[in-house]
Amino acid sequence: MAATVPSDRLTSLSQPEEVAQRNLWKEALHRLFLNRLATLGLIVVVLFILAGLAGPYITPYDFLEQEIDNALAKPTVQHWLGTDALGRDILSRLLHGARTAAFVGFFTTAISLFIGIVLGGIAGYVRGLADEFLMWLTDVTMSVPGLLLAMLMNTALKRPIAAWFDDMYMQTKNPFYLDTLWLDFVLVFGALAFISWPGFARLLRGQVLSVRETLYVEAARAIGVDERRILTHYIIPNAIGPIIVTVTAGVGGAITLESGLSFLGIGVQPPNASWGSMLSDSFSLWISFPHLMIIPAATIGVIVFAFTFLGDGLNDALNPRQVIKK
Amino acid sequence: MTVYLLTRLVRWGSGLLLILFISYAMMFYGAGDPIKRMFLDQEQGSLVLEEEVLEALRKKYGIDQPFPEQFRRYLAKLAVGDLGFSIREKRPVNRMVQVRLPISMQIGFAAVLFMVIVGIPLGVWAALHHNSAVDQFIVGFIVFINAVPIFVITPLLLWFLVVVVGIMDVPYGWKGLFHGQVILPVIVLSFGAMPTVIRQTRAAMLDTLSQDYIRTARAKGLTSRLVIFRHMLRPVLIPVLTSVGLIMIGLVNGALFIELIFNIPGFGHIAITALRTVDYPVIMATVFIGALIVMVGNMLVDLAYPLLDPRITR
């Protein structure tokens, strides 16, 4: 249809085209809301993000404050979800853990996505030897038990980086180098991104390979649309759907991995709160005090489900070929 | 065929080498002086060892060498099956692995067996009743098992079985493969890769059901049991076989959690203890064995694939 239009008239065509695109996204959103589970997932994810952002400011107690006299309390009016073995308010720790989970989820996914875009994009465009090499690298990385590698990286890098910070403090006396709590987070982001980038790289490569070969890109080139417009108006809108879906699933996956690491005692360390370590802390106590175990376990479960449902819903909603199922 | 085998071998062999290099480099630059670590637990203000003594020890263990030389020696030792010497436990890593790995492998094999016995029939069943309530229930089960991590499902299951229903005690420790305590760990471990098995079986089954030769088999009057077992089993099993790598990863990752939760003294237990105490020869050994298990699994699949599916000729 567009191929018959002379290139000097393209500017006049751009207006209706953009309207059509906005409708495409609205259509996708509409389809997402038709899916009840996905809508529920979206609500939980939004609440989770809000809790992660606002968590430390709305907690009723400090997440480290201990009331030893009131340890292991069942849920009461003062402590809605009870207290743990050290008398710390569980609700406050849960909200603080939401911040940990949100940080890890989003930063890990962002780093993995960045690596994926760079490597996958290069492999998809250059092809040939670079592509072969990337495929080999993803194969190798994916065939290693990821958790072991992440734990190895976390353990190996913690010591030298902490020592380096000590050195820097000795040399500069800058108090910035004293606060090493956030280093745990950086290490966890790095270690988890190190094992989760191959999925993104493969996806990006596949998307680049498939979209650049499509007829509509060829047609756009034939009628003289310039490369930047091809990228922004043809390739990205058509390639972004699966990427959004994978990113959603990736955030959920990173949260699971982080709780797993903390559960094994290697992720985000105390005094920072993490759902995984809350769960493993409850381990000698859960027969007498099941709420210590059930609360973090249920929280992880609900969040992971929310991301799964949202991912599935987005997958259906962003695929225009999908037949709407009621 | 020989070319195919060789390229596969080079691909996985070089991959294993890369993994070893990365993990060795991390340990080399990250773990700190192993000789000092060796005496860490005897520190208590009485570390009287002279620098010369430390130096002699470093020489003895070859730690005074530069990185390439040490890595070369490590590989040479590995090639003859020597995994090194544990810094914290002060005994050969080989001996630790010899005792512990068989325990994990027994549980792993039992889990794979459970996966095959339960997973494949469930996948077949779901496909035969496509879009029915049974199918939807099985697919929902897959989504559930796949989403909820093993360290969340296990405590909840334990709480349900021990506290709410009260039909069992907490299984704790290792009393051999045929002790009843092993049932729960094996089932939970199999959950790791069960979704993959069911999903692959179901998808392959649905694909095969619409093939012409199945219609022909039905048309000539074969019973549906005969059609399933004689004509469908092989094309259905091939895709399942390709996910052996994923299954292996699920088993190794799962072993870390299972063995911690149920206090089973297996391979995962060694790995976690070593990581917590920065016992780097042991960490190297666990990464090596973990990667080896998965890669050998992948390679065997690559090798078996052309035999099962003659259409793959390369």
Side-chain angles (χ1 to χ4, degrees):
Chain A
M1 174 185 74
T4 58
V5 181
S7 60
D8 55 33
R9 281 180 58 198
L10 270 178
T11 38
S12 63
L13 265 181
S14 67
Q15 210 49 41
E17 189 187 78
E18 259 159 29
V19 171
Q21 249 176 32
R22 216 182 303 131
N23 282 344
L24 201 66
W25 288 109
K26 262 191 183 161
E27 184 67 22
L29 204 64
H30 179 66
R31 267 186 297 209
L32 184 69
F33 285 134
L34 282 180
N35 183 337
R36 280 204 202 116
L37 279 178
T39 314
L40 192 68
L42 184 66
I43 293 170
V44 173
V45 167
V46 169
L47 284 178
F48 162 68
I49 294 169
L50 287 179
L53 290 176
Y57 308 106
I58 56 168
T59 53
Y61 299 87
D62 186 84
F63 77 105
L64 288 173
E65 186 186 301
Q66 301 181 2
E67 287 175 46
I68 295 293
D69 312 335
N70 197 15
L72 294 169
K74 297 261 152 100
T76 56
V77 182
Q78 286 84 34
H79 299 277
W80 288 1
L81 297 178
T83 57
D84 70 2
L86 294 174
R88 295 173 297 194
D89 183 49
I90 290 181
L91 180 62
S92 306
R93 289 187 70 70
L94 211 58
L95 283 169
H96 203 86
R99 161 163 278 209
T100 306
F103 268 41
V104 172
F106 291 105
F107 279 99
T108 304
T109 312
I111 300 171
S112 316
L113 182 65
F114 178 74
I115 303 176
I117 289 175
V118 173
L119 292 184
I122 291 175
Y125 267 113
V126 181
R127 291 187 269 192
L129 218 58
D131 191 21
E132 289 276 320
F133 179 72
L134 180 85
M135 283 297 102
W136 172 75
L137 206 59
T138 54
D139 266 356
V140 171
T141 317
M142 283 170 131
S143 67
V144 180
L147 218 50
L148 267 179
L149 210 59
M151 293 198 293
L152 167 72
M153 185 167 168
N154 203 359
T155 314
L157 297 186
K158 183 165 284 176
R159 195 175 304 272
I161 291 181
W164 181 61
F165 262 59
D166 272 0
D167 276 1
M168 289 309 279
Y169 177 68
M170 286 304 176
Q171 284 168 25
T172 59
K173 297 287 174 201
N174 185 342
F176 167 77
Y177 293 109
L178 273 185
D179 180 22
T180 52
L181 271 186
W182 58 273
L183 267 183
D184 267 358
F185 284 95
V186 177
L187 276 170
V188 171
F189 300 157
L192 292 185
F194 184 62
I195 59 169
S196 38
W197 67 268
F200 291 94
R202 281 193 175 182
L203 176 74
L204 261 298
R205 168 187 174 271
Q207 290 297 99
V208 169
L209 280 179
S210 68
V211 174
R212 63 178 274 169
E213 300 297 329
T214 51
L215 283 175
Y216 54 81
V217 170
E218 205 181 319
R221 243 184 222 124
I223 59 168
V225 181
D226 67 276
E227 281 296 320
R228 220 184 58 194
R229 198 179 160 81
I230 288 183
L231 192 69
T232 54
H233 281 69
Y234 291 78
I235 294 188
I236 290 179
N238 281 297
I240 204 148
I243 295 170
I244 293 177
V245 174
T246 311
V247 164
T248 312
V251 175
I255 292 171
T256 314
L257 278 173
E258 191 281 320
S259 351
L261 282 186
S262 312
F263 182 83
L264 297 173
I266 284 150
V268 171
Q269 300 290 314
N272 278 321
S274 158
W275 294 339
S277 53
M278 287 174 76
L279 194 53
S280 66
D281 284 347
S282 74
F283 246 67
S284 47
L285 298 162
W286 63 264
I287 292 186
S288 325
F289 305 97
H291 70 284
L292 289 182
M293 181 273 292
I294 292 170
I295 290 165
T299 311
I300 298 174
V302 166
I303 296 299
V304 169
F305 266 127
F307 276 101
T308 307
F309 289 146
L310 182 61
D312 281 355
L314 284 172
N315 193 23
D316 295 344
L318 290 171
N319 186 355
R321 288 187 198 91
Q322 182 82 23
V323 184
I324 302 172
K325 287 180 282 184
K326 234 193 330 181
Chain B
M1 187 68 190
T2 328
V3 179
Y4 174 81
L5 291 186
L6 265 162
T7 48
R8 296 283 107 182
L9 210 63
V10 169
R11 194 177 173 84
W12 292 120
S14 55
L16 192 59
L17 213 59
L18 178 77
I19 294 300
L20 281 178
F21 177 76
I22 291 174
S23 36
Y24 200 84
M26 277 189 203
M27 282 293 123
F28 185 86
Y29 293 108
D33 188 347
I35 299 300
K36 283 208 177 122
R37 291 207 66 81
M38 216 164 170
F39 295 103
L40 215 59
D41 39 355
Q42 297 156 8
E43 210 159 10
Q44 291 130 19
S46 63
L47 188 64
V48 285
L49 284 164
E50 303 292 329
E51 197 49 43
E52 293 106 75
V53 181
L54 289 179
E55 207 50 55
L57 275 170
R58 282 193 192 109
K59 201 158 208 140
K60 187 184 162 201
Y61 289 108
I63 300 166
D64 53 338
Q65 301 290 326
F67 175 72
E69 176 60 20
Q70 278 200 43
F71 185 57
R72 199 191 58 76
R73 286 187 187 182
Y74 175 76
L75 287 185
K77 272 177 147 183
L78 208 57
V80 293
D82 183 359
L83 291 169
F85 195 84
S86 164
I87 290 174
R88 305 293 280 185
E89 303 212 3
K90 301 185 176 57
R91 58 189 178 128
V93 182
N94 284 50
R95 203 170 302 156
M96 297 166 69
V97 171
Q98 269 163 24
V99 179
R100 307 287 197 92
L101 191 60
I103 297 177
S104 296
M105 286 177 89
Q106 288 174 41
I107 298 181
F109 278 125
V112 170
L113 206 64
F114 185 76
M115 245 182 263
V116 169
I117 292 175
V118 175
I120 291 180
L122 276 184
V124 171
W125 197 27
L128 287 178
H129 301 87
H130 188 41
N131 281 340
S132 72
V134 172
D135 186 28
Q136 278 166 6
F137 179 77
I138 292 175
V139 171
F141 174 72
I142 297 175
V143 171
F144 180 78
I145 298 285
N146 201 29
V148 182
I150 201 166
F151 54 89
V152 168
I153 232 169
T154 315
L156 287 176
L157 207 59
L158 270 177
W159 171 72
F160 181 74
L161 291 175
V162 176
V163 179
V164 179
V165 186
I167 52 166
M168 59 187 280
D169 286 333
V170 180
Y172 204 65
W174 172 250
K175 300 203 173 93
L177 186 60
F178 297 102
H179 193 278
Q181 276 197 355
V182 119
I183 297 172
L184 198 62
V186 166
I187 292 179
V188 175
L189 185 60
S190 75
F191 282 176
M194 184 81 93
T196 317
V197 174
I198 300 180
R199 195 178 295 142
Q200 291 278 22
T201 314
R202 180 173 170 274
M205 193 75 188
L206 284 176
D207 184 49
T208 316
L209 274 171
S210 59
Q211 296 287 333
D212 286 341
Y213 61 83
I214 298 299
R215 202 186 315 133
T216 311
R218 286 235 172 94
K220 72 183 183 186
L222 294 184
T223 61
S224 57
R225 179 174 302 176
L226 212 58
V227 172
I228 292 173
F229 281 97
R230 189 77 54 79
H231 293 266
M232 301 189 66
L233 213 54
R234 192 151 115 163
V236 165
L237 285 185
I238 290 172
V240 177
L241 197 75
T242 53
S243 46
V244 162
L246 276 177
I247 294 176
M248 290 297 178
I249 290 183
L251 289 182
V252 177
N253 279 344
L256 296 172
F257 293 107
I258 288 300
E259 293 179 9
L260 186 73
I261 295 172
F262 295 103
N263 199 31
I264 296 166
F267 173 74
H269 215 269
I270 301 186
I272 291 165
T273 316
L275 280 157
R276 282 181 179 166
T277 55
V278 201
D279 190 349
Y280 82 97
V282 185
I283 299 178
M284 279 302 297
T286 53
V287 171
F288 170 68
I289 293 171
L292 194 69
I293 291 173
V294 178
M295 285 191 181
V296 167
N298 271 329
M299 214 163 77
L300 287 180
V301 172
D302 277 354
L303 298 186
Y305 211 64
L307 300 179
L308 278 170
D309 192 344
R311 282 171 299 183
I312 299 164
T313 43
R314 265 196 315 130

